Amino acid sequence: APDQPPASLATASQSGGCGGAGGRMTDTRRRVKVYTLNEDRQWDDRGTGHVSSCYVERLKGMSLLVRAESDGSLLLESKINPNTAYQKQQDTLIVWSEAENYDLALSFQEKAGCDEIWEKICQVQGKDPSVDITQDLVDESEEERFDDMSSPGLELPSCELSRLEEIAELVASSLPSQLRREKLALALENEGYIKKLLEIFHVCEDLENIEGLHHLYEIIKGIFLLNRTALFEVMFSEECIMDVIGCLEYDPSLSQSRKHREFLTKTAKFKEVIPISDPELKQKIHQTYRVQYIQDMVLPTPSVFEENMLSTLHSFIFFNKVEIVGMLQEDEKFLTDLFAQLTDEATDEEKRQELVNFLKEFCAFSQTLQPQNRDAFFKTLSNMGILPALEVILGMDDAQVRSAATDIFSYLVEYNPSMVREFVMQEAQQNDDDILLINLIIEHMICDTDPELGGAVLLMGLLRTLVDPENMLATANKTEKTEFLGFFYKHCMHVLTAPLLANTTEDKPSKDDFQTAQLLALILELLTFCVEHHTYHIKNYIINKDILRRVLVLMASKHAFLALCALRFKRKIIGLKDEFYNRYIMKSFLFEPVVKAFLNNGSRYNLMNSAIIEMFEFIRVEDIKSLTAHVIENYWKALEDVDYVQTFKGLKLRFEQQRERQDNPKLDSMRSILRNHRYRRDARTLEDEEEMWFNTDEDDIEDGEAVVPPSDKTKNDEDIMDPISKFMERKKLKESEEKEVLLKTNLSGRQSPSFKLSFSSGTKSNLTSQSSASNLPGSPGSPGSPGSPGSPGSVSKSTSQMAAITTKGGLVGLVDYPDDDEDDDEDEDKEETLPFSKKAKLESS
């Protein structure tokens, strides 16, 4: 039954003759919840509505219809099939199978409504409404059907010790046939047979009659497989359940009986952490625990053929849990006492542990609730102060208590992360950073003693959920993302990064054991997530705290997975193609640890090798000009011998093309026009072409402006030693000329590339006037521009300053074909003979 069928189905249903039911749709007797059984054999709630039964023309028969009480949409439309077995359970449930592996259930608010619909179903099937299950003859052969139809009922042998084998054979022979199972169940129910069997069980135990006990095991197991609620209610009653468990101790396939009753009565003690005054609730809790124990521990694992036969047992436990949560939630005194004792300093540790374990189990039970009831459940806990209580508990020394509190916290975060975020922002106004709830969670993650860091992995997942903008709310008055991320980076981020910063004060990790490496890998995973999703918050933090440099220290770790985590963090930053990040990387020479790791890896073809090459390939393919120039100027000598991939030679080619374009910008512009003529698909007028050319020049200069490194900071002689010299020392260069080349590169200043930008006087003045006239955001001369003294925008004031202007060849907005670079050389002669009409245009403007 789909959640929302097409309108045509709803229309057909309405026209099927249900008009009379419309007036009673608001009747609480007809109010139901619709459940379906999922692949994991758990019941999923499909919504609440009102049920009616009427003739549906499209289905050609009487049908059950459920319309949602929220919007009137059709939740269920099911024809009452004469051959479908319907079961009535616990007076308010009707369960049936719509098709193979598709079970449905209607849970009624009132017994009267269930009885009313049950009568309609029985009327359609021609059955007596007093039965709790209708008959399904689909799997019966004609002979069996005739035999069973002709016999009025099933006669059970008299319940005597001497006839136990006969009874066991009868039960076993009835299980394959649905009709015989039904008749056997009716006979057992009507004659009070189960209680008589349990009396014989006591006799067999007293006489130590093992054969009889083995027969009783088979009989009771068979009764479970009848899958009938009425029988379960007898078996799970207070007076019978322990004897039923006793029968199941004597499995014939085992050489020795199990001690289930001994465990339940002596080992497993029921503790009322808070006294429960309602005897019905107390009895329901006992019953649910024992039935769950039977399902999990006592009954053998069902075979494929028996699995569906225990569906009613699953349902029995499921609806019991729903009932328990509802009854506890309504008991305000109980919950008030629970939270008062949890947070009371006078509560002893053992008592507090019991209270926390109870609350954890209470939250686990709540997962069976339907969504609207779960909303009410967590709202109740929130009003009672569950988050402040967790904060108190997480600050305690008891590891078991903290572990249970972490599980409770995970339920809250998974259910409603916004509720948790709102609480921690409010508490930050009164409390110090050290005792904030999120900081306590981070500390527990950092201090996890498990060698495999199982708890830390769980906590990192919860933190990622909390800082994920995808599940943050935005209203007219406030944006949760802005508020919470501002709070997180101010109050919590320093706690998260503390282990990382503490371990990276030198050139290599100060602690490099496996557990520390795992923890740092988790922290890096979260920081990488932040880089991807938090934009300016994380950018400011990384640049101001020099985080990337510290992270890259981990490239020297002996643990490959940690080194790769550090590399992945840098790769995520480069992937953003953000010039603020790029300037930071170049200023601090943050490719040095990567190149070192690449060279130390040698010729090994492994993940480290591939990941580093992929990073440089990305820079080449995306033509990130500033990084291309930086890498080639500083690290080319170390990388030029790598020829098993073309990545580094491709980077060098990009760099040379950039320099050529900067040395002769007019030539570059004409080359772009030639390329445009060669590949353009549509014809343009000369005026359009010229207009685009002017715009392109201006845009190119702006691009170049954005990557000029700051020139106001200088380094001493020791600091500006080129990192490549370290590599050269290790490779023991012998030729003094090469060393001189390196020295010259150093003396040119690490802040500036070793090439100059040349303009003709006319071009220079025109570029300056164009930039100032445009006054666009991000253009040179505009407020907040990344340009600094020494940029082309102020070239007349600082002609001595060397600037890295990396303008992209070709027209902005046009396709830059990959084979253009190869054609450049062969086209040079042609381009040099072109008339310089464009130069005249440029100078005249």
Side-chain angles (χ1 to χ4, degrees), residues 104-152:
L104 287 161
L106 294 180
S107 177
F108 288 77
Q109 182 171 330
E110 295 183 12
K111 179 180 183 297
C114 182
D115 291 341
E116 188 178 338
I117 295 299
W118 184 250
E119 286 180 16
K120 295 281 188 184
I121 292 170
C122 291
Q123 185 181 346
V124 171
Q125 293 203 340
K127 301 292 184 285
D128 185 342
S130 64
V131 300
D132 283 346
I133 183 168
T134 59
Q135 297 174 5
D136 181 4
L137 306 177
V138 174
D139 296 329
E140 305 290 335
S141 68
E142 289 297 323
E143 185 179 347
E144 285 178 316
R145 191 178 306 177
F146 178 78
D147 290 344
D148 286 328
M149 290 289 284
S150 61
S151 59

Side-chain angles (χ1 to χ4, degrees), residues 35 42 90 281 284-285 287-289 291-293 295-296 313-329 361-369 377:
Y35 290 93
Q42 300 295 322
Q90 300 183 12
L281 172 59
K284 188 72 71 176
I285 291 171
Q287 184 189 60
T288 305
Y289 175 76
V291 175
Q292 185 89 56
Y293 182 82
Q295 182 191 42
D296 296 340
L313 185 61
H314 289 287
S315 304
F316 189 96
I317 295 169
F318 174 84
F319 291 110
N320 261 19
K321 288 181 177 179
V322 170
E323 212 171 325
I324 289 169
V325 173
M327 294 167 81
L328 283 173
Q329 196 178 329
E361 195 169 357
F362 191 32
C363 290
F365 270 34
S366 73
Q367 303 307 296
T368 61
L369 296 174
F377 173 81

Side-chain angles (χ1 to χ4, degrees), residues 507-705:
D507 291 339
K508 60 181 182 179
S510 51
K511 282 182 69 179
D512 204 19
D513 59 279
F514 179 70
Q515 193 162 353
T516 302
Q518 272 196 309
L519 175 63
L520 293 178
L522 279 178
I523 294 172
L524 280 179
E525 187 178 336
L526 190 57
L527 290 177
T528 306
F529 178 84
C530 293
V531 166
E532 186 175 3
H533 292 90
H534 290 178
T535 60
Y536 67 90
H537 287 97
I538 188 70
K539 186 195 302 181
N540 291 340
Y541 190 82
I542 288 173
I543 294 175
N544 291 336
K545 302 289 185 184
D546 201 13
I547 296 294
L548 179 56
R549 184 176 66 80
R550 304 294 283 272
V551 167
L552 290 174
V553 170
L554 302 176
M555 293 286 293
S557 170
K558 66 183 180 185
H559 299 285
F561 70 88
L562 180 57
L564 286 165
C565 280
L567 184 64
R568 186 160 59 243
F569 180 71
K570 181 173 183 178
R571 173 66 177 81
K572 186 66 71 174
I573 289 174
I574 290 175
L576 296 176
K577 297 191 284 189
D578 185 310
E579 280 302 325
F580 283 100
Y581 275 131
N582 292 350
R583 284 201 297 274
Y584 162 59
I585 290 170
M586 293 185 295
K587 177 185 170 186
S588 301
F589 291 87
L590 296 182
F591 276 101
E592 182 176 335
V594 177
V595 176
K596 271 187 180 179
F598 182 68
L599 295 177
N600 290 338
N601 190 61
S603 58
R604 283 177 293 173
Y605 178 47
N606 54 16
L607 191 54
M608 178 65 71
N609 175 275
S610 299
I612 292 175
I613 289 174
E614 190 277 334
M615 177 188 290
F616 287 111
E617 181 69 11
F618 176 82
I619 294 169
R620 186 193 72 80
V621 170
E622 295 296 322
D623 196 16
I624 305 176
K625 298 181 176 64
S626 54
L627 296 184
T628 300
H630 176 77
V631 169
I632 296 303
E633 286 174 0
N634 293 286
Y635 307 106
W636 171 243
K637 284 290 182 183
L639 300 172
E640 64 179 337
D641 293 334
V642 180
D643 55 6
Y644 53 85
V645 289
Q646 297 304 305
T647 296
F648 301 108
K649 287 181 171 53
L651 272 175
K652 182 77 185 303
L653 182 62
R654 288 274 194 197
F655 170 70
E656 289 170 348
Q657 289 168 349
Q658 288 175 35
R659 187 160 56 178
E660 181 187 344
R661 289 164 188 162
Q662 288 166 346
D663 287 344
N664 197 344
K666 298 181 290 298
L667 185 64
D668 176 55
S669 300
M670 286 181 290
R671 183 178 299 162
S672 302
I673 294 168
L674 260 188
R675 196 176 292 141
N676 184 34
H677 274 298
R678 193 187 316 154
Y679 292 110
R680 192 173 65 232
R681 306 302 196 258
D682 58 333
R684 292 183 180 218
T685 63
L686 184 61
E687 289 76 20
D688 288 341
E689 221 170 34
E690 289 173 349
E691 182 65 27
M692 176 173 272
W693 184 68
F694 281 123
N695 292 339
T696 302
D697 280 349
E698 186 175 39
D699 292 341
D700 281 352
I701 294 303
E702 288 178 19
D703 283 347
E705 177 71 4

Side-chain angles (χ1 to χ4, degrees), residues 322-353:
V322 170
E323 212 171 325
I324 289 169
V325 173
M327 294 167 81
L328 283 173
Q329 196 178 329
E330 291 165 8
D331 192 338
E332 287 188 12
K333 182 180 183 306
F334 179 87
L335 290 178
T336 306
D337 290 348
L338 173 67
F339 283 102
Q341 290 190 36
L342 262 177
T343 53
D344 188 353
E345 292 182 5
T347 306
D348 63 71
E349 286 192 11
E350 187 178 349
K351 177 72 170 176
R352 198 186 312 275
Q353 186 175 334

Side-chain angles (χ1 to χ4, degrees), residues 343-514:
T343 53
D344 188 353
E345 292 182 5
T347 306
D348 63 71
E349 286 192 11
E350 187 178 349
K351 177 72 170 176
R352 198 186 312 275
Q353 186 175 334
E354 291 172 359
L355 291 166
V356 173
N357 286 334
F358 170 81
L359 187 56
K360 173 186 168 183
E361 195 169 357
F362 191 32
C363 290
F365 270 34
S366 73
Q367 303 307 296
T368 61
L369 296 174
Q370 56 183 327
Q372 57 267 41
N373 288 356
R374 197 154 64 239
D375 285 347
F377 173 81
F378 282 110
K379 192 168 287 185
T380 301
L381 291 188
S382 179
N383 294 338
M384 289 288 178
I386 189 169
L387 285 165
L390 284 178
E391 198 167 55
V392 172
I393 298 164
L394 286 166
M396 294 178 179
D397 295 331
D398 191 322
Q400 286 185 318
V401 168
R402 290 202 311 266
S403 175
T406 301
D407 290 338
I408 297 168
F409 183 69
S410 71
Y411 285 121
L412 295 171
V413 171
E414 288 166 12
Y415 169 70
N416 191 346
S418 291
M419 178 178 76
V420 178
R421 285 192 282 259
E422 186 178 354
F423 168 75
V424 295
M425 284 191 288
Q426 287 174 353
E427 67 161 350
Q429 298 168 9
Q430 292 103 17
N431 297 336
D432 295 334
D433 286 359
D434 292 343
I435 58 172
L436 295 181
L437 180 59
I438 289 191
N439 285 346
L440 289 172
I441 293 295
I442 294 172
E443 285 171 18
H444 289 322
M445 182 182 97
I446 292 168
C447 301
D448 188 7
T449 55
D450 177 8
E452 297 297 326
L453 293 188
V457 172
L458 168 67
L459 292 172
M460 196 278 291
L462 297 178
L463 286 172
R464 185 161 60 183
T465 302
L466 287 174
V467 300
D468 187 355
E470 294 295 319
N471 60 46
M472 294 184 184
L473 306 173
T475 61
N477 301 326
K478 64 174 183 176
T479 305
E480 188 180 17
K481 177 180 176 181
T482 304
E483 289 190 2
F484 181 75
L485 292 183
F487 155 82
F488 183 79
Y489 281 88
K490 181 178 179 182
H491 297 281
C492 306
M493 185 57 98
H494 66 279
V495 183
L496 179 66
T497 55
L500 171 68
L501 297 177
N503 208 37
T504 54
T505 53
E506 307 295 333
D507 291 339
K508 60 181 182 179
S510 51
K511 282 182 69 179
D512 204 19
D513 59 279
F514 179 70

Side-chain angles (χ1 to χ4, degrees), residues 13 33 56 77 92 118 213 229 251 257 475 520 677 707 718 771 840:
S13 302
K33 299 169 194 170
V56 176
E77 182 185 58
T92 56
W118 184 250
L213 291 170
T229 306
D251 185 345
S257 63
T475 61
L520 293 178
H677 274 298
V707 300
E718 187 176 345
S771 301

Side-chain angles (χ1 to χ4, degrees), residues 89-101:
Q89 303 176 8
Q90 300 183 12
D91 290 334
T92 56
L93 279 172
I94 297 177
V95 182
W96 72 100
S97 294
E98 192 82 351
E100 188 176 358
N101 295 327

